[in-house]
Amino acid sequence: MNRDVRGGASGPPRRPRRIFTTATTRGEKARALRGLGALGGLAGVLVALMLLPVACTAGVGARDTARWFDSEPVNLTTSGVPQRSTILAADGSKIATFFYQNRVDVPLDKIAPVARQAVLAIEDSRFYEHGAIDLQGTLRALASNLSSGEVTQGGSGITQQYVKNLLLTQADSDEERQAATAVTTARKVRELRYAVAVEEKYSKDEILRRYLNIAYYGDGAYGIEAASRHYFSKHASELTLPEAALLAGVIRYPYAYDPTRHPGEARKRRDTVLDRMAELGWVDPAEAAEAKRKPIDLKIDNIRSGCVSSKAPFFCDYVQREILTNPVFGKTAKDREKLLKRGGLTIRTTMDPRAQKAAQKAVNRHVPPKNSAHKAAAEAMVEPGTGEIKAMVVDRELGPDKERGKTWINFAADASHGSSIGMQAGSTFKAFTLAAALDEGMPFGTRLMAPREFTPVGFRNCDGDKVGDPTASLRNAADGEGGKEFSLVTGTHHSVNTFFLALEKEVGLCDTVRMAERLGMKQASGKPLEEYPSFTLGFNPVSPLRLAAAYAAFGARGEYCKPIAITSIKDASGHRLKVPGRDCEQAIDEGVADAVNYVLRGVLTKGTARGMGIGRPAAGKTGTVDNFSAAWFAGYTPDLAAAVWVGDPRGGYRHPMRNLCMDGTCYGAVFGATIPAPIWQQSMSGALRGTRASSFHRPPSFYFSKGSGEDRAKVPDVRGMKLGDAVDKLRDAGFTTNVGAQVASDRYRKGTVAEMSPGPGSAEPGSTITLRVSKGPKKRDGGGRPGPGGPRTPPPATIPPPGGPGQEAPA
């Protein structure tokens, strides 16, 4: 008779040793049973066996007892063995692993036959020959233990061990775990009853498979596949004879035989397994001897649970929080945690490893994790039209904040997905005021006066209440200017605070707020946006992720999609679980979005972030928070959007970025274009490298009804004209004037305009032209040379006609 792969190698059957024979006296058996008192594990087994006939004689009929014992217990479940869950990037690469027990369930044919043989040899060599209870094996183990004076062999077969592990694994409370391990007759009877039911329900092969996948192999490895990967960095199907014997030997006492802690004991135990395999005839003695000569050769692969060791820790943390907080993954927090850490899930996400790597490299380069100024940076990348989060980074490691260069707070996400309360968004919110104005049909050439100071009165919130402070005076940031008119285009390019306050008043505070809300904006805390006149200046605290998703809607021609990180989840059986789907809507008209894109493109070419282009059509907006407490840049293409924040986790107002020096590089005051924009430029270039560039659409023609908004008007030459006439002519041409100090001039008569700045030519409509009036010719000495006391002999003056060709005044 030959053994198949279930039991081991082929060979002649071996007569089992008979520990108790017909010649064994009743007294000898009794003494043996009394010895069980010191052997707790086996005592329960035999006492349980002895109780069965007692139950029959105590009034329970033999037939009823058999029926009770053989029937499947109503509370027996063989499902729910914890398996580790894996989070994958969009390309299938691993981001992180979560587990309560590090286990990977595999079919029997994915376990090397030699590994199956090794476990059977040392744990239950008669597994395929006996039922749920191996009385012969139990008595043999008893005799061996009594003769040695200690427990050297167990009495439980593989089915009973499987049941015990199953009950322990499924225990959710300390009380249940204690019940699963208590050395009591009741527990043994329950295990035996379950073992009978399991033998009735499953084949021997299936029971062996389940046992190999549930057993603990020490050092945090559960199941033979996880153990093989952990100790040898290979699959269980690739195990060699000495490796298989080592793992088989660990099962009985996982800590004592753990090869990482006790290599000497582990080797002795391995050799015992090899000897037993040779004794059974399942391996050739010479082969076993050769295996025993080999040293233990471990190639440890430590799999850590959670996001700390992930290459994308903050994206990983976002996904983890999504599962733990979203009711779609379980009714209670406990249910959701159990699903993640025990469910054997395969979680496919939206993360693009190339974008993630590019973003992390960019933030780390410009704001190193342990920088001398203690500043921090965060970036989120979102795909327009899908809402898929392609990257999420913080310039820190995930860990305790008390350690420099680490933080538990995900500055890129909202409080619900990262504990961050958000950061004031600064001038990036001006894009929502711009969008609201364009949504109301304002052409690009619409012009408004931007005063040097703005008193916030005349505003009403969405409840109709008056808001504002008549005693306040809002001014332009250092990257803005005021005291003249701007168009929608130039006011945005120059990021003029008072222009946008005037524009917000024109379109209405509520309409501006509603526009931001339509584009998914709310405070990082989850609360609605607060509504005050300075709304357009970005006082609301938000997250880079929400801002990136809002700007992504511009790139998607007005289609806003809520950010998503998970595309699919499969359980351990390969069944798909329900996940939140894409949630997109047309938030603003395509033409409005095209107009926003037209204006914001100029920020990268002519505005506050000029020079920060990425070699393809792109648009964006800088943001500098009051008092330089933080800086932002949000930008996008039709294919990818990103928002970058730079600030101080200790508090931006207490630690502003004025006169900032960081790791030997000094920046002075930090604007949105100083550090955030270069981070955006580098990360976007890396994320989009090798991809086809998409173009924006031309805005509807009616937006050009007052010009492009950046048209330059002709500046008439008013030199030689009387001051009043010059001012009138410039005003009629659309310019404002400012009178400077008088200048001496040999060319222009006293009382006429001698100089104008900027000079004749073209300038932005509404620009201020500074005029300087002649006070007469320069004084000359007697030789005709200019001198302090010489007579004045002016040359003949040639006065150009008012509308003539422009001429530069002499220096």
Side-chain angles (χ1 to χ4, degrees):
M1 179 179 70
N2 294 335
R3 289 187 176 272
D4 59 21
V5 294
R6 301 174 304 173
S10 60
R14 300 180 62 86
R15 177 183 295 274
R17 293 188 300 168
R18 299 194 61 186
I19 306 303
F20 284 70
T21 67
T22 54
T24 305
T25 66
R26 187 181 300 271
E28 290 173 334
K29 291 180 179 179
R31 285 192 298 274
L33 292 178
R34 284 195 297 271
L36 287 173
L39 305 169
L42 290 174
V45 176
L46 290 188
V47 170
L49 291 174
M50 294 167 63
L51 282 177
L52 293 179
V54 174
C56 295
T57 59
V60 180
R63 182 178 302 173
D64 292 337
T65 301
R67 187 180 301 115
W68 170 84
F69 200 75
D70 290 339
S71 63
E72 181 173 333
V74 293
N75 58 343
L76 171 64
T77 173
T78 54
S79 62
V81 175
Q83 297 186 51
R84 71 189 192 191
S85 296
T86 304
I87 299 178
L88 305 176
D91 65 354
S93 58
K94 187 170 71 173
I95 295 174
T97 303
F98 286 86
F99 51 80
Y100 165 69
Q101 295 178 347
N102 180 21
R103 176 182 288 106
V104 180
D105 199 85
V106 291
L108 199 62
D109 61 7
K110 295 296 183 181
I111 302 172
V114 69
R116 296 178 240 162
Q117 295 168 349
V119 172
L120 287 170
I122 200 64
E123 292 296 321
D124 190 353
S125 62
R126 299 182 63 255
F127 172 69
Y128 282 95
E129 299 170 13
H130 62 70
I133 304 170
D134 182 13
L135 183 58
Q136 179 177 321
T138 300
L139 294 176
R140 181 184 67 245
L142 171 64
S144 175
N145 293 333
L146 289 176
S147 64
S148 64
E150 59 180 348
V151 179
T152 59
Q153 293 187 26
S156 299
I158 279 181
T159 305
Q160 294 174 54
Q161 292 184 52
Y162 165 67
V163 168
K164 179 179 179 180
N165 280 319
L166 183 65
L167 295 174
L168 180 59
T169 297
Q170 293 177 342
D172 287 328
S173 64
D174 291 338
E175 183 179 355
E176 291 177 351
R177 280 186 283 273
Q178 184 176 359
T181 57
V183 183
T184 64
T185 301
R187 177 180 69 82
K188 283 298 179 181
V189 171
R190 181 177 61 157
E191 286 181 6
L192 291 172
R193 186 185 179 204
Y194 285 1
V196 171
V198 167
E199 288 271 353
E200 290 292 326
K201 187 173 183 178
Y202 299 112
S203 67
K204 285 287 190 177
D205 279 354
E206 177 61 15
I207 295 171
L208 177 61
R209 184 196 74 80
R210 287 169 173 264
Y211 174 69
L212 293 172
N213 279 296
I214 201 174
Y216 180 50
Y217 292 81
D219 206 28
Y222 292 82
I224 196 165
E225 175 68 13
S228 181
R229 296 186 193 182
H230 173 64
Y231 290 117
F232 305 114
S233 297
K234 62 172 60 175
H235 294 289
S237 60
E238 303 169 314
L239 288 169
T240 63
L241 174 60
E243 293 168 346
L246 180 72
L247 294 184
V250 170
I251 296 175
R252 179 62 63 183
Y253 298 112
Y255 182 82
Y257 298 133
D258 180 346
T260 64
R261 292 183 174 90
H262 310 290
E265 294 301 317
R267 181 168 184 170
K268 291 178 183 178
R269 179 65 174 172
R270 178 202 68 178
D271 294 349
T272 298
V273 175
L274 292 169
D275 288 339
R276 177 62 177 160
M277 294 177 75
E279 178 186 350
L280 292 169
W282 293 356
V283 297
D284 185 86
E287 185 181 4
E290 174 64 23
K292 289 169 65 176
R293 284 192 289 270
K294 292 185 177 180
I296 293 178
D297 184 17
L298 300 179
K299 295 180 180 178
I300 299 296
D301 180 16
N302 281 315
I303 301 296
R304 299 177 64 184
S305 177
C307 298
V308 172
S309 60
S310 172
K311 293 182 179 180
F314 291 95
F315 178 84
C316 170
D317 186 62
Y318 184 93
V319 173
Q320 176 187 9
R321 291 172 187 261
E322 172 67 11
I323 294 175
L324 295 180
T325 59
N326 196 325
V328 76
F329 298 113
K331 292 183 179 180
T332 67
K334 184 176 182 180
D335 291 339
R336 297 189 287 269
E337 183 176 9
K338 183 183 292 187
L339 175 67
L340 177 62
K341 295 185 177 181
R342 300 169 65 116
L345 306 179
T346 300
I347 305 165
R348 180 81 64 161
T349 71
T350 59
M351 193 197 86
D352 177 1
R354 177 173 57 181
Q356 178 74 18
K357 183 177 180 180
Q360 192 71 65
K361 183 177 180 180
V363 298
N364 286 353
R365 175 188 174 188
H366 292 277
V367 188
K370 298 181 180 180
N371 65 81
S372 60
H374 301 282
K375 304 308 176 191
E379 181 175 19
M381 290 183 161
V382 176
E383 183 177 66
T386 66
E388 293 188 358
I389 304 170
K390 294 302 179 182
M392 182 178 290
V393 301
V394 175
D395 73 322
R396 296 285 192 273
E397 295 180 19
L398 187 64
D401 298 74
K402 61 183 180 180
E403 296 183 33
R404 190 178 176 192
K406 294 184 178 181
T407 183
W408 290 121
I409 300 175
N410 186 351
F411 296 111
D414 285 354
S416 61
H417 287 72
S419 303
S420 173
I421 60 173
M423 295 74 68
Q424 290 186 336
S427 296
T428 58
F429 259 46
K430 291 174 181 174
F432 304 128
T433 311
L434 171 67
L438 295 169
D439 190 48
E440 294 184 5
M442 288 190 184
F444 295 135
T446 301
R447 310 188 68 80
L448 295 173
M449 172 59 70
R452 296 188 185 280
E453 296 183 8
F454 188 95
T455 301
V457 294
F459 290 84
R460 291 184 181 272
N461 63 22
C462 292
D463 292 329
D465 301 327
K466 290 184 178 180
V467 291
D469 183 358
T471 66
S473 179
L474 302 178
R475 302 168 182 261
N476 291 302
D479 59 349
E481 41 189 310
K484 61 181 180 181
E485 285 187 346
F486 291 90
S487 70
L488 291 185
V489 175
T490 56
T492 302
H493 291 176
H494 295 286
S495 194
V496 184
N497 285 353
T498 55
F499 171 83
F500 271 94
L501 287 164
L503 182 62
E504 181 184 58
K505 187 174 182 179
E506 185 77 14
V507 302
L509 171 60
C510 183
D511 287 352
T512 301
V513 173
R514 291 284 185 255
M515 175 58 69
E517 291 175 341
R518 283 156 64 182
L519 295 171
M521 295 308 301
K522 60 182 177 180
Q523 294 188 64
S525 64
K527 296 180 180 179
L529 297 168
E530 293 189 356
E531 304 171 24
Y532 295 101
S534 55
F535 180 89
T536 189
L537 305 183
F539 71 85
N540 275 284
V542 300
S543 69
L545 178 61
R546 283 202 177 273
L547 195 61
Y551 274 61
F554 297 141
R557 304 191 72 195
E559 184 182 23
Y560 171 74
C561 299
K562 291 182 180 179
I564 58 172
I566 301 172
T567 56
S568 69
I569 297 180
K570 291 182 179 180
D571 64 16
S573 301
H575 299 132
R576 286 186 175 270
L577 303 183
K578 182 180 179 181
V579 300
R582 292 179 180 174
D583 188 356
C584 302
E585 63 178 354
Q586 195 69 34
I588 57 177
D589 291 341
E590 289 183 350
V592 174
D594 294 338
V596 172
N597 300 337
Y598 170 83
V599 177
L600 294 187
R601 286 188 66 180
V603 173
L604 292 167
T605 57
K606 309 167 187 177
T608 53
R610 57 187 173 274
M612 289 291 115
I614 55 175
R616 63 175 68 204
K621 183 69 188 73
T622 54
T624 305
V625 182
D626 185 39
N627 198 40
F628 301 101
S629 58
W632 291 76
F633 187 82
Y636 58 96
T637 73
D639 304 303
L640 189 63
V644 179
W645 162 83
V646 175
D648 198 307
R650 300 170 298 175
Y653 285 99
R654 287 188 293 117
H655 303 278
M657 293 189 291
R658 291 193 305 263
N659 302 316
L660 176 68
C661 288
M662 183 166 55
D663 292 352
T665 301
C666 292
Y667 298 92
V670 175
F671 298 93
T674 308
I675 300 177
I679 291 175
W680 178 87
Q681 181 185 50
Q682 179 182 338
S683 61
M684 288 285 285
S685 297
L688 294 172
R689 184 174 293 114
T691 64
R692 183 179 63 84
S694 299
S695 299
F696 293 111
H697 289 71
R698 180 175 174 79
S701 59
F702 71 82
Y703 284 114
F704 295 93
S705 60
K706 292 186 178 181
S708 67
E710 53 185 343
D711 295 340
R712 299 182 70 82
K714 182 179 181 181
V715 180
D717 190 347
V718 297
R719 290 172 297 181
M721 298 176 65
K722 292 183 178 180
L723 180 61
D725 294 338
V727 169
D728 290 341
K729 185 162 188 174
L730 287 170
R731 184 181 294 116
D732 291 342
F735 299 98
T736 59
T737 57
N738 178 46
V739 180
Q742 291 185 342
V743 294
S745 175
D746 294 333
R747 189 167 192 173
Y748 299 104
R749 291 191 300 267
K750 182 179 180 179
T752 63
V753 176
E755 294 180 5
M756 53 187 297
S757 178
S762 64
E764 184 181 304
S767 295
T768 298
I769 309 299
T770 299
L771 304 177
R772 298 180 185 277
V773 176
S774 171
K775 61 181 180 180
K778 299 176 182 179
K779 295 181 180 180
R780 300 176 181 275
D781 58 20
R785 296 183 179 86
R792 293 182 294 174
T793 54
T798 303
I799 310 298
Q807 298 180 39
E808 290 293 331

